[in-house]
Amino acid sequence: MQLMPMSNRNSMDSTRSSMPPAPVAPHPFSLPVVGTGYQIPGPPPAPARHMSTDEERKKLWHAEENSPSRFIEYVAIFLSWILTILFFPFVVCTCYKVVREYERAVIFRMGRLREGAAKGPGTLFTLPCVDSCYVLDLRTVTFDVPPQEILTHDAVTVAVDAVVYYRVYNPTVAVANVEDYNRSTRLLASTTLRNVLGTKALAEILSDRESIAHTMQTSLDFATDPWGVKVERVEIKDVRLPQSLQRTMAAEAEATREAKAKVIAAEGEKKASEALRDASTVLSQSPGALQLRYLQTLNSIAAEKNSTIIFPLPLELMRAFYDGL
């Protein structure tokens, strides 16, 4: 056995201490320890039961194929087939389902979703007593959001109602992930309408309806995506103000119009006075023009059927009279 000198061992120890520790592969089910680089093995997480994609449903289907309850289900399905064959003329009406072009059918057998996507369109065969069939409409559905009493950002109470257009794009998720997608979407639309308009001022609600509707549509579409529902459009239908506020706004608008009318009338008087000043300057420089204007005024008065004619006395005659005195 060959001994290593002390100096070499010290140099190797210093080299080892300077080298970074080798990475350790984490345990598949482990928890990190705060402040250290180690992880404590933990229990495996519970299997997810949220059926959102077809791949997850297939995994659950294959995992439960070997469970003990499958034997009971196979017996029930076998008895259902025997019942269907024996009483075929009587159960034929309940076994066959007709799914239209705009519909899809989601079938559960003994409480489990049948493997594959939603069925249809066409004719489907279901077993009595073991199959449950849910037929969903894929067309666009329209509903009115009930009028909501909303307090705006500037402390004004208004009643607003809207119209929502939505459709089901994933029938399986719409049945498996939410109890009643139609009712849930309606309630969510009412709540979203109140939340969105509560952050807006009255002037924004009256003028920016398109942007508010787009904000509502985006929020609703994001919230209803796990339900298999696509919100296509949202429209603000009507905004109703209190009677007192309507009278106040009408009085304010009327006062604004009257003020504008007075300003316009004053500007017109100003322009007319400037025009008269220019006319008087021209007439003062030409006495003949003043006499012609005087005769024209008499002609316009005589043209009308008047019984009295006012004949003004020229100022030149009065000036000559004063000069003679």
Side-chain angles (χ1 to χ4, degrees):
M1 181 176 180
Q2 186 178 3
L3 298 178
M4 183 181 297
M6 184 62 66
S7 59
N8 294 340
R9 271 191 282 178
N10 293 336
S11 61
M12 291 183 64
D13 293 340
S14 61
T15 305
R16 289 177 181 176
S17 61
S18 61
M19 293 177 60
V24 180
H27 194 272
F29 306 109
S30 57
L31 299 175
V33 179
V34 179
T36 64
Y38 300 96
Q39 294 183 348
I40 301 176
R49 299 293 297 178
H50 187 74
M51 294 177 291
S52 58
T53 61
D54 294 339
E55 294 181 358
E56 294 180 3
R57 289 194 301 272
K58 290 180 180 179
K59 291 180 180 179
L60 292 176
W61 176 273
H62 292 298
E64 295 173 354
E65 278 290 332
N66 300 323
S67 60
S69 61
R70 297 298 294 177
F71 176 74
I72 301 176
E73 295 178 7
Y74 290 145
V75 173
I77 294 173
F78 177 74
L79 295 178
S80 179
W81 275 106
I82 297 297
L83 181 65
T84 303
I85 295 173
L86 293 178
F87 300 96
F88 182 77
F90 302 99
V91 300
V92 64
C93 297
T94 60
C95 290
Y96 284 96
K97 305 289 184 181
V98 178
V99 180
R100 298 180 179 88
E101 183 66 31
Y102 53 85
E103 295 177 341
R104 295 296 182 270
V106 180
I107 302 176
F108 290 85
R109 176 163 294 177
M110 298 295 293
R112 287 188 173 89
L113 184 66
R114 292 187 59 179
E115 187 176 4
K119 311 300 180 180
T123 304
L124 303 178
F125 179 80
T126 58
L127 294 176
C129 303
V130 295
D131 285 351
S132 300
C133 183
Y134 298 89
V135 179
L136 279 74
D137 196 333
L138 302 185
R139 294 177 295 181
T140 301
V141 180
T142 307
F143 68 89
D144 294 329
V145 180
Q148 304 292 320
E149 293 289 339
I150 300 171
L151 184 64
T152 61
H153 186 66
D154 50 353
V156 178
T157 304
V158 296
V160 183
D161 53 355
V163 182
V164 178
Y165 302 84
Y166 77 93
R167 62 179 176 85
V168 177
Y169 74 91
N170 194 332
T172 305
V173 175
V175 174
N177 287 1
V178 63
E179 180 181 2
D180 187 352
Y181 69 90
N182 189 12
R183 180 172 176 271
S184 301
T185 305
R186 291 173 182 267
L187 294 178
L188 183 62
S190 301
T191 307
T192 305
L193 179 64
R194 298 177 66 90
N195 293 339
V196 171
L197 295 183
T199 60
K200 304 292 183 180
L202 178 61
E204 295 177 353
I205 295 176
L206 296 177
S207 59
D208 298 338
R209 294 190 179 186
E210 185 175 355
S211 62
I212 294 174
H214 179 69
T215 303
M216 284 188 58
Q217 188 266 335
T218 304
S219 178
L220 282 174
D221 189 27
F222 179 77
T224 58
D225 185 69
W227 303 343
V229 175
K230 171 67 176 178
V231 178
E232 296 179 341
R233 190 178 183 87
V234 178
E235 292 292 340
I236 302 298
K237 187 177 180 181
D238 189 18
V239 179
R240 290 187 294 275
L241 305 176
Q243 294 293 332
S244 58
L245 182 59
Q246 292 182 12
R247 290 193 294 267
T248 302
M249 295 179 65
E252 181 182 0
E254 185 177 358
T256 303
R257 288 193 297 269
E258 289 180 357
K260 290 182 179 180
K262 290 181 179 180
V263 170
I264 293 173
E267 291 179 355
E269 292 290 339
K270 179 181 178 182
K271 292 180 180 180
S273 62
E274 292 177 355
L276 289 175
R277 182 191 62 186
D278 296 340
S280 63
T281 302
V282 174
L283 292 177
S284 62
Q285 296 175 359
S286 177
L290 179 61
Q291 187 66 23
L292 291 175
R293 181 60 182 166
Y294 168 69
L295 295 176
Q296 184 179 3
T297 303
L298 291 180
N299 186 24
S300 61
I301 295 175
E304 300 178 0
K305 297 181 180 179
N306 297 326
S307 58
T308 303
I309 297 178
I310 300 176
F311 186 80
L313 186 65
L315 296 179
E316 287 78 4
L317 295 178
M318 297 300 296
R319 187 179 296 115
F321 178 73
Y322 286 132
D323 293 340
L325 295 177

